[in-house]
Every structure is written in structure tokens, then in C-alpha cells.
Amino acid sequence: MKNVVLMGFMGAGKTTVGKMLAGAEHYQFIDTDEQIEKEQNRKISDIFDQDGEEAFRQMETDYLRKLEAEQRPFVLSIGGGMPVREENRELLRKLGIVVYLEASKETIIQRVSGDVNRPLLQGGSLEEKVTALMNAREAVYLETAHAVLNTDGDTAETVIKKIKDLL
Ligand code: S3P
């Protein structure tokens, strides 16, 4: 199996599915949010509060560049905003097979409601925020993906099976 990059909106299941897939394939599991939090020794919400979104986006790009040197195979789960930068889109496609885990707005809202750790979804109407961001991102996800999987109603096991069938 080649490296797998799991891409999708917040709450699409990238981390859950990624961990399980990596475990099953004896690949290392890497989550960009987790790595950035470790490097920075602070939460993403604090990075956004203290340094702003643009600084976080630069950290994401810097981290992807580091990953180019990674020798051991991996399943990578990326933050939902990662593909918004063009240079990231190119880097992601070089790193592995980019799988877009697509989920409906209803599924996403259900999964992220009550979450206080995603700065872009705090305050105001969750539905409006999710709708605006999803609309803005759909095209970049489609442009970046090598493959698109709809995951509505699927268990993590089913999604993993679908990914394996692609590879
Ligand atoms: C973001 C998604 C988050 C995290 C940050 C910004 C985004 O990751 O990187 O809160 O812009 O969509 P998840 O997609 O893992 O929630």
C-alpha cells in the first residue's frame, strides 16, 4: 500500500478512520493537528487565539514539507483547512493517495456540535458556519483528491474497506 492522505471537512472521520487503517496495515498514523500541537506545546485553539489563523496555516505548510522526508509508510490525517493553500494541495498529492472522505452537512453538524476545540466553528450559528466553509472548500477538496468516498451512514469499518478497495 502507498501512503494514504485522509482529507475532508472537520468531523468527516479522518482521525478515527486513519488510526484504524494505520493499525490494520502496520503503518504509522500521523495527524497534522496533533503534530502541530506537540511542536507548539499548545492547543490549536490557543494558536488561533494568540497568533491567528494565518500563522497556523504556515505551521501546516511547514509540517507538510517536513513530511516529505519521511521514509516509513504512513496514513496521514490532515486538518480540514489544509488544502486551501495551493502549495499544500501540491504537497499532499506528492505525499500519497489523497482520499476525500465526503460527508453531508447534516452528518458533519451532528458530529461537531458541542465541540469547543475547533476555533472556526465557535460563536454564532453552527449551521451557517459549516455551510459557508463547506461551500468554500468543496472545490479545493475535489481538486486535490485522487479519490472521493461518500461516507454518510457508514461505520469506520466500512469506510476502511472502501479505502482498501481503492488502493
Ligand atoms: C480546521 C480543521 C481542524 C484544525 C483547525 C482548522 C479547518 O482540523 O486543523 O481547527 O480549517 O477546517 P480537523 O479537520 O481535524 O477538525
Side-chain angles (χ1 to χ4, degrees):
M1 186 172 92
K2 286 194 183 165
N3 291 333
V4 176
V5 178
L6 297 179
M7 173 182 69
F9 202 76
M10 294 174 260
K14 295 163 289 190
T15 303
T16 307
V17 165
K19 272 188 189 157
M20 288 170 65
L21 177 65
E25 296 292 319
H26 305 290
Y27 271 33
Q28 54 174 331
F29 172 70
I30 305 173
D31 180 299
T32 59
D33 288 339
E34 201 181 298
Q35 294 300 323
I36 291 169
E37 286 190 334
K38 241 192 241 168
E39 278 180 359
Q40 291 287 319
N41 198 23
R42 50 189 173 147
K43 292 254 161 230
I44 298 218
S45 47
D46 292 330
I47 300 173
F48 270 70
D49 276 355
Q50 293 159 5
D51 298 357
E53 179 172 352
E54 198 45 37
F56 175 71
R57 298 300 172 204
Q58 190 56 47
M59 291 170 198
E60 289 190 307
T61 301
D62 293 344
Y63 185 72
L64 282 191
R65 291 204 183 286
K66 273 189 217 161
L67 260 189
E68 280 189 296
E70 180 57 51
Q71 298 295 316
R72 285 189 302 138
F74 56 78
V75 174
L76 178 70
S77 164
I78 59 174
M82 184 74 91
V84 170
R85 278 194 174 190
E86 189 185 349
E87 58 184 322
N88 293 356
R89 298 202 280 278
E90 262 174 53
L91 281 166
L92 290 167
R93 288 178 60 91
K94 278 193 213 146
L95 285 173
I97 308 277
V98 183
V99 181
Y100 170 23
L101 300 183
E102 200 183 37
S104 69
K105 191 171 80 178
E106 290 68 29
T107 302
I108 296 290
I109 288 175
Q110 217 174 32
R111 296 215 189 119
V112 301
S113 75
D115 182 345
V116 295
N117 292 317
R118 290 179 166 113
L120 294 180
L121 301 180
Q122 304 312 303
S125 153
L126 179 64
E127 176 161 10
E128 276 172 23
K129 285 182 193 296
V130 170
T131 305
L133 274 176
M134 279 185 110
N135 288 343
R137 287 182 178 171
E138 177 73 4
V140 292
Y141 289 152
L142 291 174
E143 184 189 325
T144 314
H146 290 113
V148 182
L149 285 185
N150 185 278
T151 64
D152 281 313
D154 287 348
T155 60
E157 286 79 7
T158 306
V159 178
I160 287 165
K161 192 177 172 308
K162 286 183 178 177
I163 296 172
K164 283 188 179 169
D165 287 347
L166 284 175
L167 303 172

